[in-house]
Amino acid sequence: MNVQLGTAIATPGSRATGWLAVETAPGEQTQIPVVVINGGQPGPRLAITAGIHGGEYTGPAALRSLLLSAEAGDPVTLANLKGSIIATLATSPAAFKARSIYVNPQDGKNLNRVYPGSATGSASERIAHAIATQLMTGADVYLDLHAGDINEALSPFVGIEQTGDAARDARAVALGRAVGAEWLLIGASPGTTTSTAEQLGAIGILCEFGGQGHVEPEFVARHAAGVRGVIAEMGMGDFPQSPIERAVGSLKPGASTRLNSEAWLRAEIPADVAGYWHPAVGVGSVVKKGERLGEVQGVFGDVLQTPTAPIDGVVIFLVTTLAMNNGDPLLALGGDPEGGVWP
Amino acid sequence: MNVQLGTAIATPGSRATGWLAVETAPGEQTQIPVVVINGGQPGPRLAITAGIHGGEYTGPAALRSLLLSAEAGDPVTLANLKGSIIATLATSPAAFKARSIYVNPQDGKNLNRVYPGSATGSASERIAHAIATQLMTGADVYLDLHAGDINEALSPFVGIEQTGDAARDARAVALGRAVGAEWLLIGASPGTTTSTAEQLGAIGILCEFGGQGHVEPEFVARHAAGVRGVIAEMGMGDFPQSPIERAVGSLKPGASTRLNSEAWLRAEIPADVAGYWHPAVGVGSVVKKGERLGEVQGVFGDVLQTPTAPIDGVVIFLVTTLAMNNGDPLLALGGDPEGGVWP
């Protein structure tokens, strides 16, 4: 049976690239680049998005290296692959071109807060709707590849949901661990890609490597290795190593330490004031509840906010720009580690 | 005699902070934070801007640490200082708040391409005009503190002009070397801050440390040390070390190797195509004329452009985002090193 996404149609044992067109405004077509890999053997469906945020480069770079390589297109490899992979390479094309932080410049919205979207809404909502209906629907597993945004550093983590269905939850944990990040965060986030994929019947997995607008080879390679790990865990077979993984050489997968809670801290300063953010911690720092995490200052050094840790936790992401606006994230902590101990 | 910039008025032997208001549109006041340090002894005038580009954080961070410190405000220090320092801490406030790359979001213009500006033009032109008339005019030396932009890495460099007046040119070289960067680039750039300062009678010095939206302590400290070096070279006396210099500890100033030519390379791809930039060199790499510098690809790996080095040169800055648009800089080379040899 053929597998199709947009104009990309792959017959069994083949690979195809193409475009998923979304009418983001009347008369305006936004073209999302896609790749479809259809294995020669029956098996599950893996759906992947990269570039939901335009300035998070490690995911798109990883998928381009992994899915478009000569090795991945080898006829024998394709004939042996069990199941299919469908992926977007740049899900918010206008944000990619604009090197935009957080939002899709087509409507100023965060594409990872408007799911499941709407066929008649604004540009981001229409993209979300197309992804939900055409990419997520029918998938067994869904991966959303992110990084820290252009203004964010992070410690590699995976996010999954736990539903109370023990067998399904164990499966989500096994798939999440197969990505090989340092942390495995448990939690649901309404409006996001992965929560919507869950509602559509897939296991949704958020994968975060790299950040700060960098195309760091190590983190590109770890994203690629993470996708391969999930492909293997799904029983689809061994997917060929990507060129970027070979170039980087031996990679050390993270321990996937499970974190059962999460806390975001945001700037709380007057809206018209330019904040200057001086973090006192780095990504991966483990802090105690009540510990001072930095200062938001005014331009002349006056202290506007002294955020402290609301929980014992590890800094999973950190905004690293000097500029800080009211309501922007400062950092996030992951807490409640499995077994009660930090690795 | 008092020294004033905007609302900041410093009597001899004192320091003041305040705001330089620019009417950037009818009824819209843009407030630029400023600091004025008026020495107790007669001497020259040093004018400094930081944050001409909103996402270049090392300069604002350096001036805040250096000029606002308790040590810099010590009455004995101020009484002994010869001459005065006037500085802006965030010259493009809207760009700072927006974490904007290249442009001032008030009008979409690059504030370092519209000098000397205009009192009746668009927002950037009005800011430029205010800086030219109120900060540069009357200054003996003008420093413009930059970094690579949010999407750029760089090898620390200083830019100065040479005019043909031997004594003045030697003075510019001595002041430029006092900043302590790796490279001393010779050249004029019409429309920029430093060229306008030259026309207004100052020696204009472009200082570049850091980049990529980072607030890297080493490069913040080197900016601060560079300003102190210029203060000393101007005969104004020893200015107190900044807290950030003390925190970083021993700094290694660069050799200020003189480079007599420069070449910018830009993306040349269809305007509606999203380019994927894969540089083959890093900042500080020395390349030969004709050497391949990387590839701009389309999303599926098709090669759109293979830039090669137009001169023997060192990579002084490099765009490090995956996203690349037609006309954007890819990188710049500095060439023609003094004595014909690379350090």
Side-chain angles (χ1 to χ4, degrees):
Chain A
M1 203 171 68
N2 292 349
V3 176
Q4 177 169 7
L5 180 62
T7 65
I9 304 173
T11 56
S14 80
R15 174 177 70 178
T17 59
W19 303 90
L20 174 64
V22 181
E23 191 182 18
T24 36
E28 176 191 270
Q29 296 286 325
T30 294
Q31 300 283 349
I32 297 173
V34 300
V35 54
V36 172
I37 296 180
N38 191 1
Q41 312 296 323
R45 165 76 55 88
L46 172 62
I48 316 174
T49 49
I52 289 281
H53 295 127
E56 300 179 4
Y57 299 122
T58 52
L63 288 191
R64 293 173 72 234
S65 184
L66 182 72
L67 302 182
L68 302 178
S69 74
E71 297 83 347
D74 174 73
V76 175
T77 297
L78 290 165
N80 289 331
L81 182 72
K82 300 179 189 71
S84 59
I85 303 167
I86 61 175
T88 57
L89 301 176
T91 314
S92 189
F96 180 82
K97 270 188 83 82
R99 306 183 176 105
S100 177
I101 298 174
Y102 298 140
V103 299
N104 175 3
Q106 291 175 312
D107 60 5
K109 292 186 182 169
N110 183 334
L111 180 55
N112 203 20
R113 296 292 180 279
V114 298
Y115 276 81
S118 155
T120 56
S122 67
S124 296
E125 291 163 344
R126 289 172 183 226
I127 290 173
H129 177 78
I131 296 299
T133 55
Q134 298 183 58
L135 181 128
M136 293 175 180
T137 299
D140 297 284
V141 175
Y142 164 70
L143 303 180
D144 189 19
L145 309 191
H146 285 251
D149 214 317
I150 292 177
N151 60 333
E152 288 174 351
L154 60 74
S155 184
F157 68 90
V158 159
I160 58 169
E161 296 187 12
Q162 296 284 268
T163 62
D165 172 338
R168 181 264 166 223
D169 287 351
R171 187 87 196 104
V173 168
L175 288 161
R177 289 198 196 280
V179 176
E182 272 69 350
W183 311 101
L184 183 68
L185 254 76
I186 309 299
S189 304
T192 65
T193 52
T194 47
S195 282
T196 297
E198 292 276 336
Q199 289 156 15
L200 293 168
I203 290 178
I205 304 175
L206 171 71
C207 307
E208 300 262 8
F209 289 99
Q212 297 185 302
H214 296 187
V215 194
E216 186 71 26
E218 178 191 343
F219 293 123
V220 176
R222 289 186 64 184
H223 252 320
V227 174
R228 288 199 307 113
V230 169
I231 290 170
E233 179 65 31
M234 289 173 70
M236 299 173 70
D238 281 340
F239 200 84
Q241 207 181 33
S242 60
I244 186 67
E245 289 170 273
R246 287 199 302 277
V248 168
S250 74
L251 289 174
K252 204 174 123 212
S256 296
T257 300
R258 183 168 166 156
L259 300 171
N260 290 305
S261 67
E262 189 181 358
W264 285 44
L265 284 90
R266 291 181 180 274
E268 296 175 9
I269 62 176
D272 60 345
V273 165
Y276 289 70
W277 169 224
H278 295 269
V281 293
V283 289
S285 297
V286 174
V287 300
K288 285 283 185 195
K289 181 175 176 176
E291 192 173 326
R292 182 182 159 280
L293 301 173
E295 274 183 2
V296 184
Q297 300 179 355
V299 63
F300 299 122
D302 43 314
V303 177
L304 302 174
Q305 184 182 358
T306 306
T308 56
I311 58 173
D312 289 2
V314 60
V315 178
I316 55 168
F317 78 75
L318 174 70
V319 169
T320 52
T321 51
L322 188 60
M324 180 54 65
N325 301 306
N326 183 47
D328 283 351
L330 297 166
L331 55 80
L333 299 174
D336 193 8
E338 59 189 305
V341 291
W342 294 102
Chain B
M1 203 170 69
N2 291 349
V3 175
Q4 178 169 6
L5 181 62
T7 64
I9 304 174
T11 56
S14 80
R15 175 176 69 177
T17 59
W19 304 88
L20 174 63
V22 180
E23 191 182 19
T24 36
E28 176 191 271
Q29 297 285 326
T30 294
Q31 301 283 351
I32 297 172
V34 300
V35 55
V36 172
I37 296 181
N38 190 2
Q41 311 296 323
R45 165 75 55 88
L46 172 62
I48 316 175
T49 50
I52 289 282
H53 295 127
E56 300 179 4
Y57 299 121
T58 52
L63 288 191
R64 294 172 73 235
S65 185
L66 183 70
L67 301 183
L68 302 178
S69 73
E71 297 84 344
D74 175 71
V76 175
T77 296
L78 290 166
N80 289 331
L81 183 70
K82 300 178 189 72
S84 59
I85 303 168
I86 61 176
T88 57
L89 301 176
T91 315
S92 189
F96 180 82
K97 269 187 86 81
R99 306 184 177 103
S100 176
I101 298 174
Y102 297 143
V103 299
N104 174 2
Q106 291 176 312
D107 59 6
K109 292 185 184 169
N110 183 332
L111 180 55
N112 204 20
R113 297 291 181 279
V114 299
Y115 276 81
S118 155
T120 56
S122 68
S124 297
E125 291 163 342
R126 289 174 185 224
I127 290 173
H129 177 78
I131 296 299
T133 55
Q134 297 183 59
L135 180 128
M136 292 176 180
T137 299
D140 297 284
V141 176
Y142 164 70
L143 303 180
D144 189 20
L145 309 192
H146 285 251
D149 213 320
I150 292 177
N151 60 333
E152 289 173 350
L154 60 74
S155 184
F157 69 90
V158 159
I160 58 168
E161 296 188 13
Q162 296 283 267
T163 63
D165 173 338
R168 182 260 165 227
D169 287 351
R171 188 85 196 107
V173 168
L175 288 161
R177 288 199 195 283
V179 176
E182 272 69 352
W183 310 101
L184 183 68
L185 254 74
I186 309 298
S189 304
T192 64
T193 52
T194 47
S195 282
T196 296
E198 292 276 336
Q199 289 156 16
L200 293 169
I203 290 177
I205 304 174
L206 171 72
C207 307
E208 299 263 8
F209 289 99
Q212 297 185 302
H214 296 187
V215 194
E216 185 71 25
E218 179 192 343
F219 292 123
V220 177
R222 289 187 64 185
H223 252 321
V227 174
R228 288 198 308 110
V230 169
I231 291 170
E233 179 64 33
M234 289 173 71
M236 297 172 71
D238 282 341
F239 199 85
Q241 206 180 37
S242 61
I244 186 67
E245 290 170 273
R246 286 199 301 277
V248 168
S250 75
L251 290 174
K252 204 175 123 213
S256 297
T257 300
R258 183 167 166 157
L259 300 172
N260 291 303
S261 69
E262 190 181 357
W264 283 45
L265 284 90
R266 291 180 180 275
E268 296 175 8
I269 62 175
D272 59 345
V273 165
Y276 289 70
W277 169 224
H278 295 271
V281 294
V283 290
S285 297
V286 174
V287 300
K288 285 286 187 192
K289 182 175 174 175
E291 191 171 327
R292 182 180 158 282
L293 301 173
E295 274 183 2
V296 184
Q297 299 179 356
V299 64
F300 300 122
D302 43 315
V303 177
L304 302 175
Q305 183 183 359
T306 308
T308 58
I311 57 173
D312 289 3
V314 60
V315 178
I316 54 170
F317 78 75
L318 175 70
V319 169
T320 52
T321 52
L322 189 59
M324 180 55 64
N325 301 306
N326 184 47
D328 283 352
L330 297 165
L331 56 80
L333 299 173
D336 193 8
E338 60 189 306
V341 292
W342 294 101

